[in-house]
């Protein structure tokens, strides 16, 4: 499903290219649950953003379902994001003036889905994450755990093929984090490909496999179960 | 999609009520100014047209002198001949399309009766003046039909003149003094108001021969020709010029049709209206800059949201649409409020001061709203483009 071929990403700083990612190749199959770990500045978020079509690689090819999306124009990339990829952010990124229901329905606005259908689908998805009684609450009226569940509902509303989560439990207490991970795993169990960037070894060890990044390169692959609780392989 | 964008924009505008209200007020002031000033200009134009049409559209005026620029130095010839009573008689003999050909002499004199006196415009003319200027008598009779050169000492008083010189008295048959002349009042005009800037209720009318002697003039102020049909206007004008050119050995008179006068005034007042609208547009421009400022602040505040929308699949075009619709709604709201305030203001003005001619033309209503939207579009497009150009990752990280 996801095929990265010799991907590199550089940013110009003071006229000099700084590589955030170099010669990275990886293959992720549909339905996999993959954790991406590594120290700060190792290129985890850059990798996730390239996979999420939010960044274009400077070099290499990125095949999504066999199509080289690294060469697509902006509109086509937007279409891939809209229909194939769901994003879960550490800091939620909910629109504060919209209700939970409206936030969940937001991706459908730009897909041209009728308002009545948006309402129905958003209600269903909110119910599936256990928030049907919070549909008309604004983000500031929800707990952080509830906010993250709204974000998950928003991420899956377009029935994407891949769910990308950047530190999904980073802002949550242990109990809420546990619930969120169970929710994400239940979605993965239904066939959704799940990629999680995390610093938390307890999250990483739940994945099928773990990609370890250091200095912009993949340095190791381990199985989730092989990770020891409480410690990261790069530490 | 447009309704969805409007719904998003409405939520965003409602989230900053004070800021939205201030921007709406800014646009509203500009639109109200444009509507009110257009109404005043258009009202003035309608008023002038009404004034001219009230005295008949079949009228043409013959004036001494030629209204054209010549190469001759001042004083080196080209001094116009007088427009005389003989010219009048020549026109009467030769122009058969004319219903009335009427001489007019003008001056100002002190008119008194007993201790009451006032400075008044004195018009000298003939009996046909009544029909030519579509006047009516309140009492008595108008000037008698007689030899134009004969200066009989009779006078017709305007409505106000009669009331002020003879308060509570019957003026007919009484004697008034016009300058050094003692004259008998033979009639009083019905109330008519102002015609072509002359307060016809505050004049006295004397036989033209008397008027010319009174003011010691040999030239008429003008000759009025009333034709039977508007289609005769141009031909009659040409005939008048030909006859008088023959008599004066040069073309030294000007013939103006009522149509031409209306058209000239109309175009002058239209220009005046445009100037007034342009002045109003200055405040609208300032309001537009206000809208742009608000939208720039909005884009800056909602950078993260823009990144989020891009991550959720919104295209650059979608983002442009979100902010452009917001700017258009802001300006459109201002336009509607401004229109209501402007029309309300005009209504109040004409209610308080009925003499002020003000009427917002129908096109101004549509134009005001269109103008507000144009302002919103013009000043909203830059912030919207700025939003659309944001890199999604940079925006999400608010960098």
């Amino acid at each position: 499903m996801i095929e990265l071929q010799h991907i590199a990403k550089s940013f110009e700083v003071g006229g000099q290219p700084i590589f955030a990612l170099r010669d990275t190749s990886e293959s992720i199959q549909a339905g996999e649950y993959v954790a991406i770990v590594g120290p700060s500045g190792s290129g985890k978020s850059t990798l996730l953003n390239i996979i999420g079509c939010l960044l274009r690689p400077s070099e290499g090819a990125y095949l999504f379902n066999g199509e080289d999306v690294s060469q697509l124009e902006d509109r086509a990339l937007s279409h891939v994001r809209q229909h194939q990829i769901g994003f879960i952010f550490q800091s939620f990124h909910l629109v504060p003036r919209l209700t939970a229901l409206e936030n969940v329905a937001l991706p459908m606005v730009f897909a041209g889905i009728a308002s009545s259908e948006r309402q129905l689908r958003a209600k269903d998805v909110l119910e599936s994450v256990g928030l049907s009684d919070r549909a008309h609450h604004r983000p500031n009226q929800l707990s952080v755990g509830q906010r993250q569940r709204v974000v998950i509902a928003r991420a899956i509303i377009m029935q994407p093929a891949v769910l990308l989560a950047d530190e999904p439990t980073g802002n949550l207490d242990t109990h809420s984090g546990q619930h969120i991970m169970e929710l994400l795993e239940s979605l993965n169990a239904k066939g959704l490909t799940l990629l999680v960037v995390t610093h938390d070894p307890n999250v990483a060890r739940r994945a099928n496999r773990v990609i370890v990044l250091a200095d912009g390169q993949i340095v190791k692959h381990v199985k989730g179960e092989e990770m020891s609780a409480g410690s990261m392989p790069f530490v | 999609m447009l309704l969805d964008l409007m719904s998003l924009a409405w939520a965003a505008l409602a989230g900053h009520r004070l800021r939205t209200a201030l921007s709406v007020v800014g646009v509203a002031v500009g639109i109200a100014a444009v509507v009110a000033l257009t109404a005043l200009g258009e009202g003035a134009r309608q008023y002038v047209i009404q004034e001219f049409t009230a005295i008949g559209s079949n009228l043409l005026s013959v004036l001494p002198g030629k209204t054209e620029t010549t190469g001759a130095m001042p004083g080196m010839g080209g001094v116009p001949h007088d427009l005389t009573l003989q010219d009048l008689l020549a026109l009467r003999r030769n122009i058969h399309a004319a219903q009335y050909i009427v001489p007019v002499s003008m001056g100002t004199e002190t008119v008194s009766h007993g201790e009451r006196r006032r400075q008044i415009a004195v018009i000298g003319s003939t009996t046909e003046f009544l029909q030519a200027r579509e006047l009516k008598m309140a009492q008595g009779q108008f000037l008698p039909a007689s030899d134009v050169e004969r200066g009989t000492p009779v006078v017709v008083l305007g409505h106000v003149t009669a009331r002020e010189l003879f308060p509570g008295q019957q003026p007919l048959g009484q004697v008034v003094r016009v300058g050094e002349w003692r004259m008998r009042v033979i009639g009083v005009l019905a109330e008519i108001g102002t015609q072509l800037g002359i307060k016809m209720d505050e004049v006295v009318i004397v036989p033209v021969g008397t008027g010319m002697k009174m003011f010691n003039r040999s030239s008429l102020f003008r000759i009025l020709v009333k034709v039977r049909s508007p289609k005769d206007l141009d031909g009659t004008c040409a005939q008048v010029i030909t006859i008088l050119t023959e008599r004066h050995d040069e073309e030294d008179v000007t013939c103006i049709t009522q149509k031409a006068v209306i058209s000239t005034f109309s175009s002058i007042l239209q220009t005046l209206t445009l100037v007034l609208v342009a002045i109003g547009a200055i405040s609208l421009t300032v309001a537009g800059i206000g809208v742009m400022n608000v939208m720039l602040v909005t884009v800056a505040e909602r950078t993260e949201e823009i990144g989020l929308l891009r991550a959720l699949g919104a295209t650059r075009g979608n983002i442009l649409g979100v902010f452009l619709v917001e700017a258009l709604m802001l300006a459109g709201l201002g336009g509607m409020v401004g229109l209501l305030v402007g029309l309300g203001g005009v209504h109040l003005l004409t209610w308080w001061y009925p003499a002020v001619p003000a009427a917002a033309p129908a096109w101004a209503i549509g134009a005001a709203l269109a103008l507000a939207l144009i302002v919103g579009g013009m000043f909203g497009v830059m912030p919207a483009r700025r939003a659309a150009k944001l890199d999604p990752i940079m925006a999400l990280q608010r960098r």
Side-chain angles (χ1 to χ4, degrees), chain B residues 95-116:
Chain B
I95 298 178
H96 305 293
Q99 199 176 2
Y100 306 108
I101 300 180
V102 186
V104 179
S105 69
M106 280 284 283
T108 309
E109 197 48 277
T110 304
V111 180
S112 60
H113 173 253
E115 295 302 308
R116 304 184 74 85

Side-chain angles (χ1 to χ4, degrees), chain B residues 87-97 101 239 243 247:
Chain B
D87 290 332
L88 172 87
L89 296 174
L91 293 178
R92 280 186 173 176
R93 276 194 303 275
N94 295 299
I95 298 178
H96 305 293
I101 300 180
Q239 218 182 339
I243 293 165
R247 287 182 55 79

Side-chain angles (χ1 to χ4, degrees), chain A residues 53-67:
Chain A
C53 297
L54 286 169
L55 270 184
R56 286 173 197 276
S58 310
E59 293 168 26
Y62 168 24
L63 306 182
F64 188 93
N65 283 337
E67 185 187 10

Side-chain angles (χ1 to χ4, degrees), chain A:
Chain A
M1 166 177 254
I2 291 171
E3 184 78 33
L4 302 172
Q5 297 174 345
H6 307 290
I7 293 286
K9 179 66 187 175
S10 61
F11 299 97
E12 286 237 334
V13 179
Q16 294 293 316
I18 302 293
F19 280 87
L21 213 56
R22 51 181 97 217
D23 196 21
T24 301
S25 296
E26 183 59 61
S27 183
I28 296 165
Q29 301 308 312
E32 268 198 284
Y33 174 6
V34 178
I36 302 169
V37 299
S40 294
S42 60
K44 302 187 298 293
S45 293
T46 304
L47 181 61
L48 199 73
N49 289 333
I50 287 174
I51 293 172
C53 297
L54 286 169
L55 270 184
R56 286 173 197 276
S58 310
E59 293 168 26
Y62 168 24
L63 306 182
F64 188 93
N65 283 337
E67 185 187 10
D68 186 356
V69 293
S70 55
Q71 302 303 319
L72 291 180
E73 59 164 21
D74 188 75
R75 180 181 283 268
L77 270 183
S78 295
H79 191 266
V80 173
R81 286 197 297 270
Q82 190 168 63
H83 294 277
Q84 302 289 349
I85 299 164
F87 291 94
I88 296 163
F89 306 100
Q90 181 182 2
S91 50
F92 315 127
H93 289 306
L94 290 167
V95 180
R97 61 181 178 278
L98 301 183
T99 62
L101 190 80
E102 289 165 337
N103 267 291
V104 171
L106 200 52
M108 292 188 283
V109 170
F110 300 102
I113 294 169
S115 171
S116 52
E117 194 187 336
R118 289 203 303 260
Q119 295 278 317
L120 284 176
R121 277 171 65 175
K123 274 183 189 164
D124 282 351
V125 176
L126 270 179
E127 195 177 340
S128 73
V129 298
L131 283 178
S132 51
D133 57 335
R134 295 283 186 273
H136 300 291
H137 287 63
R138 293 184 198 284
N140 62 358
Q141 297 167 316
L142 300 171
S143 69
V144 284
Q146 287 171 334
R147 285 181 213 173
Q148 194 59 301
R149 279 194 276 163
V150 174
V151 173
I152 292 171
R154 185 180 65 192
I156 61 173
I157 190 80
M158 294 297 290
Q159 299 169 326
V162 183
L163 210 50
L164 305 180
D166 192 357
E167 301 281 6
T169 57
N171 278 340
L172 307 180
D173 58 57
T174 314
H175 182 70
S176 301
Q178 175 74 16
H179 275 288
I180 290 300
M181 286 319 297
E182 281 167 9
L183 181 57
L184 291 176
E185 282 160 15
S186 72
L187 292 168
N188 174 242
K190 289 176 189 166
L192 201 61
T193 309
L194 180 61
L195 267 76
V196 179
V197 165
T198 185
H199 275 107
D200 184 348
N202 294 320
V203 170
R205 66 197 293 267
R206 301 167 77 118
N208 304 136
R209 63 190 178 97
V210 179
I211 298 169
V212 183
L213 280 172
D215 294 329
Q217 284 183 306
I218 296 175
V219 293
K220 200 190 285 184
H221 288 91
V222 289
K223 286 186 178 172
E225 62 209 31
E226 291 169 1
M227 288 191 60
S228 53
S231 72
M232 281 301 219
F234 53 86
V235 178

Side-chain angles (χ1 to χ4, degrees), chain B residues 24-38 280-281 283-285 287 331-343 364-375:
Chain B
V24 165
V25 166
V27 177
V29 167
I31 291 293
V34 169
V35 169
L37 292 172
T38 308
S283 61
L284 202 54
T285 308
L333 266 174
M336 281 192 274
V337 173
L339 189 61
L340 289 176
V341 171
L343 291 176
I365 294 166
L369 284 178
L371 198 60
L373 292 179
I374 289 168
V375 166

